[in-house]
Each structure stands twice: as C-alpha cells, then as structure tokens.
Amino acid sequence: MHGGPGVPSPNGRRYFDPAAYRVVQFHQRGVGLSTPSVIDHETDLSVNTTEHLLADMELLREHLGIERWLVFGGSWGATLGFAYAERFPARVTALVLVAVTNTRPSEIDWLYRGLGMVFPEAWDRFREGAGDDDVVGAYNRLLNDPDPAVREKAARDWCAWEAAAVDEQTPDPRWADPGFRMALARTAAHYFHHHAWLEDGILLREAGKLAGIPGVMVHGRRDLSAPLGTAWAMAKAWPDAELKVIDEGGHFSTGAMEEAVKAAMDRFATGD
C-alpha cells in the first residue's frame, strides 16, 4: 500500500525478489492509475474512505485468486496495512511496514500544526494559505472550491508544506507536476479532515488481532513527520512484531532503512 494518502509509487517493488514474490501494487481510489481521478473536481470523494479501500483490497485479492498475502506499506500505507490486517487477519501471512503511522488525531495535529515549531517559515506560509487555524479543514474546503485557481493555489500551498515537513534530502521532482499536487493534496486533506474514519486509538487497541502474524516495522529515529512513538507503542501491543529503529533514518526508506526492509522481505520469502 502506497502512502499519502494520494501518492502511488512504483518504487515499492524494488524490495521484492521477483523470483520469490508476485508483486501486486494497489493504486488507491482516485489516484495513480485508479479512475475516476481525484484531479477531476467532479469526482465524488464521499465514496473514497478507508472502508472503501479495505473493501477494494479484498475485491482485488479475490479477483486475483490470492488466498493469503504479505502486506507491505509505508506511512499512510502502514495505517492502511494495520487496518486491513486487523480486519482480515486470516488473509495476511506477514506485515512489513515502514515509517509507521496510525493516523490518529494527535498524529495529524502534529504533522499539520505541531511540526511548525521545527519549520516555522514553512508553517507561516502554510497557515497563511489556509486563512484559518483549522488548517486541514480549511484546505479541505479550498481544494473543493468551484474556482480552479483557488484549488490550484491550495494544492501548491499544501504540497509546499508537505515537502518541508518530510524533510527530503533530494526533493521529489513530482512536486512540480500540478496533477500530482492536486491528487496528493485533495486526497490527503479529505482523509485527514475525517481522521481517516478511524476511531481514535483503534488500531493500537486492536493490535492483539495481529497475534500469529509475523511482522517487521522499520522506522527512522529522525523521522520528524511520523515520530517513533507510534511504532514503539505498536511493537509493544503486537505480539509477533519486530521493530527495527534506524538511528540515521528519516521518513524515507533510504540506506540502512532500505536494507532492513529488503532483509525482512528476503526472510519472509523463505517462510521464516
């Protein structure tokens, strides 16, 4: 499962040995190759929720004739991975999750408010673009405004904050693509404004449902946008979890983080 919400990436498959794995890349509703696209202002977001995504995953599994599968995701994809595995534990052989989040209200507030203490210049611009202290709610409105110029400015402002908050060493060239910006901003604001339709703390409280499912979580200690505390709490609540903390790692899986993910995939490929 890709992150964002709203950021499909072909790079996830690089962790898998094609001789050992059949890789299924799921473009979530309205983004990437999924249609209708959220870039189109007329696309109805009321049928784009976490519940819809979980149902889509089950339909996809059945359509492909897969009895059980390893679930891999990062950032928002980790939240979705937890939600899916807790809903359908019998369908999951293992979980490998990177930059772990649960998309709790406190995590959303940190990412779109608290982190402003670290990046005050970018935060001031982000807050000014919102014109409201409820920045997520304000951007959710602006990104659905009838005026395309208002929507485009809101998408640009949202993505400028995202780029600062994830603290990329090498900025993603896709930030320059208006379609990419709109897909990310409109989807993310929609999901985060509704707290991903998840009861606060539900994924942590129901982590016992993951008993018997082996898993590895890889998290960077220097991940500013998704602090380590969520992964730490999930590791304590999930009986079969292994947490690998990469001291030099941030939000993106590079270097030692990437090697830890590949090692987990190779391990599960042999059934260990």
Side-chain angles (χ1 to χ4, degrees):
M1 273 78 67
H2 62 71
V7 190
S9 172
N11 296 329
R13 64 176 180 261
R14 73 186 184 275
Y15 297 114
F16 297 87
D17 178 356
Y21 283 102
R22 176 188 182 185
V23 182
V24 178
Q25 294 184 275
F26 169 46
H27 286 206
Q28 295 158 33
R29 288 197 176 202
V31 297
L33 299 178
S34 175
T35 57
S37 173
V38 298
I39 295 172
D40 182 353
H41 176 60
E42 299 302 318
T43 297
D44 181 11
L45 294 186
S46 70
V47 291
N48 192 337
T49 71
T50 301
E51 285 297 319
H52 287 96
L53 297 185
L54 296 177
D56 289 346
M57 291 168 66
E58 273 297 273
L59 285 172
L60 180 61
R61 183 190 61 76
E62 293 170 359
H63 174 72
L64 296 174
I66 298 170
E67 182 66 22
R68 302 173 72 221
W69 51 7
L70 179 150
V71 173
F72 169 62
S75 193
W76 157 252
T79 293
L80 192 57
F82 281 130
Y84 177 83
E86 291 179 7
R87 179 73 59 85
F88 304 104
R91 299 303 182 188
V92 179
T93 60
L95 278 166
V96 178
L97 305 171
V98 188
V100 173
T101 68
N102 278 351
T103 315
R104 299 183 66 170
S106 58
E107 294 175 85
I108 296 169
D109 186 68
W110 165 254
L111 181 56
Y112 295 104
R113 182 181 305 277
L115 198 52
M117 294 185 293
V118 183
F119 301 108
E121 306 95 336
W123 163 253
D124 278 353
R125 292 190 293 270
F126 185 52
R127 167 62 181 79
E128 182 179 352
D132 193 310
D133 285 339
D134 176 13
V135 290
V136 175
Y139 276 103
N140 187 53
R141 292 190 299 273
L142 293 168
L143 288 159
N144 290 283
D145 192 274
D147 186 341
V150 172
R151 298 196 302 270
E152 168 55 28
K153 181 181 184 302
R156 187 183 296 275
D157 289 344
W158 179 281
C159 289
W161 170 252
E162 292 272 358
V166 298
D167 194 25
E168 297 170 288
Q169 294 181 356
T170 303
D172 191 325
R174 293 181 297 174
W175 292 122
D177 177 1
F180 175 81
R181 292 197 301 263
M182 184 60 67
L184 167 57
R186 191 174 182 219
T187 308
H190 172 62
Y191 271 75
F192 294 150
H193 176 60
H194 293 95
H195 297 159
W197 299 271
L198 293 170
E199 183 182 330
D200 189 6
I202 190 69
L203 299 180
L204 180 60
R205 289 196 300 276
E206 297 196 348
K209 293 181 178 180
L210 303 176
I213 300 175
V216 173
M217 293 180 286
V218 179
H219 205 98
R221 190 178 298 279
R222 299 182 183 182
D223 189 337
L224 294 176
S225 55
L228 179 58
T230 294
W232 186 262
M234 289 300 292
K236 289 168 46 175
W238 174 10
D240 299 277
E242 179 182 352
L243 174 61
K244 293 187 175 295
V245 179
I246 309 301
D247 284 335
E248 68 273 25
H251 194 63
F252 287 94
S253 50
T254 57
M257 290 182 69
E258 194 168 72
E259 290 307 311
V261 174
K262 288 180 178 177
M265 295 303 186
D266 291 345
R267 185 179 111 199
F268 290 131
T270 64
D272 294 339

